[in-house]
Structures are given as C-alpha cells and as structure tokens.
Amino acid sequence: QVHVLPQTVLYIADAETFSGHEEWHEQKKARKRNSRETAIALEKLLPKRCQVLGLVTPGVVVTPMGSSSNHPLEIEEGEAGFALLFPKIDGVKIHTFHFSKDVKNRVFDESKFAEAGLKNNPDLRVVLLFGYNSWKSGATRFLHQIVNPLNEKSIILAGGQVESFTSLISENNSVQPGDACGVVGLAFSGPQIQSATVLLDQDVADERTAEAAMQRLKAANIPEHNTIGFMFACVGRGYRHYKTKRNMEADAFRKLFPNVPLFGFFGHGEIGCDRIVTGNFVLRECNDIKDDLLHGYTTVMTLIHLGSPKANQI
C-alpha cells in the first residue's frame, strides 16, 4: 500500500455547511455551529505541516469521489463541499498567500509579492485568487492593487469573490480570518505546469454557446492526464441564467473533457479572461493592452496541468 500525505489542501464548502445546526447529545438541543469550530475540526484531520486554505462560498462545483470521469455537479443550494489534497509533486511548488487591506495605508506594498513568491519567480505559472469581504469599503480598489501587477501574459490568473475564508495555514504562519477585506490564494510554480482559461460572458446563455466556450478551452491542447479543471461562476448564473436548466456549464465541460475532474464555486464576482500559457503562445491577440480580469455575471473555466508523472511514481 502507498500512502501519500498531502502537503497543500484547498477545501471549499457552502455557507450552510459551515453554519448549519448540530446536536448537543446531552441536552438534545440544536445550536448554530461556529465556522471556526468547523474549520478547526477539519484542520485536525490533516498533517500539522500541511498548508491549508479553506473557503466558504454561496454554492459549490464538485466532481464526486471515485472515477475522474464522474459527472461534475453544480450544487447551487443545500450543503456541499470538497477538499483537494495535493501531495509533493516533483517539479511543482504550490503555496498559499494572504494579502489583507491595511486601513492605515492606501498604497499596497508590492514587496509583499516577492515574499509570497509572486514576483521575481520565473517558474510561476498559475495564481488562483479569492477576494473576501468584498462588500467592505475599498475592497474592489484593493483587489485591483493585487490583480493588476500580476496581469502578465506568462501567468494564468483565475478565481473570484467568496463569502469568507475559514482556514489559512502555512509552515511559517497561521493567519485567522479578520474583519478586514483582502485576498487569499494558491500559487502554482514549475516549468512543467501548463494552463489555460476561458471566460464565459453574459452572451453565453445556452447549450450551444456554452459548448463553443469549452471548444476554445479544448483548442489550447492542454494534456488531460494529471489535470484539474476549475469553474468560478457568478451566483447569478447556473439554472437562473440558463432558464431553469441545471448543470449546463459543468455538463458542457464534461462533454469536451470527459476525464478531467472539475471543482469550483458560485461567488460574488469572477477573476479571469481568455488565455493560454504554453511557452509564449497566447490564445488571443491582446495588443499589449492589459486584460480586464474582474467581472460579474460570468464564468471562468480553467485547466491546470501539473506535468506528466514519472513511470516510477504513483
């Protein structure tokens, strides 16, 4: 038997899962769970040196356990969640980061990017970004301060606005959620990583246009073995956007990528654009103009290929 310990964990659950009711066995009385209690219980299940990033979102996109060819599900209502456990992967470095808005300083100190491995890192390939407390004053401006310096043709950026984050643990620090607004995320570095992303805008509103968007992603020719799909969608999409037809975008993804598991969430704003990074190839002409990465009422679909495992690795 081979046991692979996780080094990095990303878990996402909907708000009901984190603030549902649980019973007190002695008194048989239900009470509201505290989200921190739930997070601590989850963290105790993982190795102590494990990096953990936990997010709470309005809805969840998940491929159920078992075969990678299982149907991905868009779960917009009800309790749901998942955890992605990344072991040590040769040639790949995954690390968490956190930038919190400083109320005393309106200008973000960009030296923090280097500390987080997001600057002067030639192997940086993909950054998944998640804004939290986006309703707070100055949150959008702060998100722009984080996203704009990372808006390079050699890096894939994808993510969205979540309800909150419940866990952020790394080897060096343990940061607990605060009342401020900010950005948390995962950075993927390594020369073998390949990635691509497409944006489904408001015009994508039926099966035909959803599949056409997935065809653009397919055209990137990202290897499908050892690859994960991510879907970051607006809460206004899903069955409401597709005239009561459920699971439209996840089904379109599976049709084109039958063996790639898909994970993600429904949130309050999306981060991403049409882009592919394999060497210097860009999916579309950008004319040296910075991409518009912050959106609403859209869906961002992303592929991350972690390289081909060696023959002697499992």
Side-chain angles (χ1 to χ4, degrees):
Q1 290 187 348
V2 177
H3 298 275
V4 180
L5 286 176
Q7 285 206 331
T8 306
V9 174
L10 170 66
Y11 74 80
I12 299 178
D14 72 288
E16 281 185 52
T17 299
F18 265 80
S19 59
H21 291 282
E22 72 178 11
E23 278 194 356
W24 285 354
H25 293 292
E26 295 96 8
Q27 301 176 18
K28 296 292 182 185
K29 181 182 176 184
R31 71 177 177 95
K32 277 283 194 181
R33 271 200 309 262
N34 178 296
S35 62
R36 186 70 202 125
E37 292 172 341
T38 308
I40 289 170
L42 278 170
E43 290 162 15
K44 283 181 178 175
L45 300 174
L46 300 164
K48 285 188 177 177
R49 289 173 64 85
C50 191
Q51 295 186 108
V52 184
L53 175 57
L55 307 173
V56 174
T57 61
V60 170
V61 179
V62 61
T63 301
M65 282 195 304
S67 169
S68 61
S69 61
N70 281 350
H71 280 273
L73 304 173
E74 298 176 18
I75 304 173
E76 299 180 61
E77 293 148 359
E79 295 190 25
F82 66 84
L84 292 177
L85 283 64
F86 296 94
K88 185 180 189 322
I89 305 169
D90 284 349
V92 174
K93 182 179 180 183
I94 305 171
H95 67 268
T96 60
F97 59 86
H98 177 212
F99 303 123
S100 181
K101 184 173 180 290
D102 184 351
V103 292
K104 298 174 186 173
N105 191 353
R106 284 178 60 84
V107 180
F108 180 73
D109 180 3
E110 289 193 16
S111 67
K112 292 180 180 178
F113 283 124
E115 293 171 22
L118 302 177
K119 197 172 182 180
N120 304 323
N121 177 3
D123 288 334
L124 182 63
R125 295 291 183 269
V126 184
V127 181
L128 299 183
L129 294 158
F130 311 108
Y132 64 90
N133 289 348
S134 58
W135 50 272
K136 284 194 169 279
S137 174
T140 301
R141 183 175 181 274
F142 182 75
L143 182 58
H144 275 285
Q145 288 181 321
I146 303 301
V147 167
N148 290 347
L150 298 174
N151 192 358
E152 299 176 13
K153 298 293 178 275
S154 60
I155 303 171
I156 291 286
L157 294 182
Q161 300 274 19
V162 301
E163 297 260 316
S164 60
F165 79 94
T166 52
S167 296
L168 182 61
I169 301 171
S170 68
E171 276 187 38
N172 302 321
N173 66 338
S174 178
V175 185
Q176 301 309 330
D179 292 329
C181 60
V183 175
V184 293
L186 285 178
F188 295 77
S189 301
Q192 70 201 43
I193 294 172
Q194 295 181 48
S195 186
T197 182
V198 295
L199 178 74
L200 284 66
D201 61 21
Q202 294 183 38
D203 292 338
V204 177
D206 56 28
E207 192 171 5
R208 181 185 61 81
T209 49
E211 285 187 15
M214 302 310 157
Q215 290 280 8
R216 296 206 312 275
L217 195 58
K218 187 82 171 179
N221 289 322
I222 301 296
E224 292 179 29
H225 182 66
N226 213 23
T227 294
I228 307 168
F230 286 99
M231 172 178 164
F232 306 115
C234 178
V235 289
R237 289 183 75 88
Y239 72 89
R240 296 172 189 84
H241 181 65
Y242 288 100
K243 306 294 188 290
T244 74
K245 188 159 186 180
R246 294 179 181 271
N247 229 64
M248 177 76 78
E249 292 174 347
D251 285 346
F253 179 88
R254 187 181 185 275
K255 190 171 181 179
L256 274 294
F257 302 95
N259 296 305
V260 177
L262 182 67
F263 300 94
F265 59 74
F266 289 89
H268 302 295
E270 302 77 61
I271 302 170
C273 66
D274 279 9
R275 194 182 291 174
I276 170 179
V277 177
T278 51
N280 294 320
F281 176 65
V282 179
L283 185 61
R284 61 182 179 79
E285 286 295 322
C286 295
N287 301 319
D288 295 324
I289 297 171
K290 291 273 189 178
D291 291 303
D292 183 10
L293 292 171
L294 304 184
H295 310 278
Y297 212 62
T298 64
T299 298
V300 175
M301 285 285 189
T302 304
L303 295 175
I304 302 178
H305 172 64
L306 298 171
S308 298
K310 293 175 183 173
N312 62 351
Q313 288 185 330
I314 292 181

